[in-house]
Amino acid sequence: MITSEWLYWLIGAFFIAVSVFILTDRTHAKRVGNAAFWGILGLSFFAGTFVVSGALPAWALGIAVLVMVALAGLGFTGTTSRTRVANVPGAGVGSATGPAEPTAVTTRPSSSTSVLATTSPDERAGFAQRFGNRLFIPALVIPVVAVLVATLGPLVRIGGEPLLAEGSATLTGLGIGSVLAVVVAVLVLRPPRLDTPVREGARLLQAIGWAALLPQMLSTLGIVFTQAGVGDAVGTIIKAVLPDGSLLAAVVVYCLGMALFTAIMGNAFAAFPIMTAAIGWPVLVQGFDGNPAAIFAIGMLAGFCGTLVTPMAANFNLVPAALLEMRDKYGPIKAQLPTAGILLVVNMGVMYLVAF
């Protein structure tokens, strides 16, 4: 029976490879801190297997998370500017007696200047023209394979036993799809080095930085809050101020609460259990006899309005700004504010009209 552990170990191995690449990069101003951060993360993926089996105490992973937070919070990770000496065309023009004097040039952090980059920006632009839409083939392999494995995988049996462990089909499909996508990319693009996928992955990860882990951290926050009774406490407060018998007020509070908690926590999935325990189920479903499917689907969409306007949703808002090297790192949020506001109001109206 195939479980998901192989995928966690593969991810851990990738992070450890990233750590080694950074540690061997003598030009990286923060190579020790970055190498420690990604190395600890990689080892954590391996350790998780032993925590689940009971061979390793869970507090060991907790300490690893705290160390990673300390490394990122104290500025030991990320990139920084360096000054190099170079002959710049047009600068320090040479005289009749000799060549131009070297000119100091400060290079700002950029994924394109990283030693992990296997091609220059001009070369990548040339490859984009050369390959055209074929560049999308590896990316399309992932969803196609993931859907096929998730759909057909549970049906496959060997000796009367299922091939895939229960509940692992989707994650297994995603892992297999990702591995096949790398293989297809190598076959289609034919990079000059075999380690190009890992190096480019490491370069991309360095461009994103610690924010790449924010979704993973925030996904656990909703469970922690729910277990701590935050949903019940919020529900008690809301019920004390909510007008009796007012469906419109309950809808507005639920949708607005989903958006606000999502903005605070950075993830609508983390906000959902809190607001559902506080008002979604006891007030809208039980109190006003609403349609649970409609209420919770629209409620999640209201939460996504909060995703559009918060830096906590780093994978949606800060990562694109970093990858595109935008001058204003909050540019995506500013552009999305009008859409988020309009969509939130529309969600409230749709829920009020169709869910009851």
Side-chain angles (χ1 to χ4, degrees), residues 5 35 69 79 112 121 137 146 164 166 176 181 248 283 296 333 356:
E5 292 303 312
V69 170
T79 56
S112 61
I137 294 177
L164 302 180
E166 184 179 356
I176 294 175
L248 179 60
V283 177
F296 298 146
I333 293 177
F356 301 93

Side-chain angles (χ1 to χ4, degrees), residues 28 52 91 101 138 156 228 266 330:
H28 201 307
V52 172
E101 291 294 326
V156 179
Y330 298 114

Side-chain angles (χ1 to χ4, degrees), residues 318-336:
L318 296 187
V319 169
L323 294 180
L324 296 174
E325 299 180 5
M326 297 175 61
R327 293 183 181 274
D328 184 1
K329 65 179 180 179
Y330 298 114
I333 293 177
K334 294 175 181 177
Q336 293 163 178

Side-chain angles (χ1 to χ4, degrees), residues 78-228:
T79 56
T80 185
S81 299
R82 280 187 172 276
T83 301
R84 61 182 174 84
V85 176
N87 285 322
V88 180
V93 179
S95 64
T97 60
E101 291 294 326
T103 303
V105 179
T106 300
T107 57
R108 67 188 182 91
S110 170
S111 59
S112 61
T113 62
S114 170
V115 296
L116 292 172
T118 56
T119 54
S120 67
D122 290 338
E123 288 174 324
R124 288 196 289 274
F127 286 139
Q129 285 187 329
R130 174 184 170 188
F131 290 104
N133 290 333
R134 281 183 291 170
L135 291 172
F136 293 100
I137 294 177
L140 294 175
V141 169
I142 299 176
V144 171
V145 174
V147 170
L148 289 175
V149 174
T151 304
L152 303 178
L155 304 178
V156 179
R157 291 178 173 272
I158 298 179
E161 296 294 331
L163 178 63
L164 302 180
E166 184 179 356
S168 67
T170 301
L171 196 57
T172 300
L174 180 62
I176 294 175
S178 299
V179 172
L180 289 179
V182 173
V183 174
V184 171
V186 171
L187 294 176
V188 172
L189 305 179
R190 299 188 179 278
R193 304 172 51 141
L194 290 178
D195 64 350
T196 293
V198 179
R199 283 186 173 273
E200 286 295 326
R203 181 180 65 85
L204 182 63
L205 201 59
Q206 278 287 278
I208 299 172
W210 62 264
L213 299 187
L214 198 54
Q216 183 182 355
M217 299 294 185
L218 293 174
S219 65
T220 64
L221 197 56
I223 299 175
V224 173
F225 275 23
T226 301
Q227 293 294 324

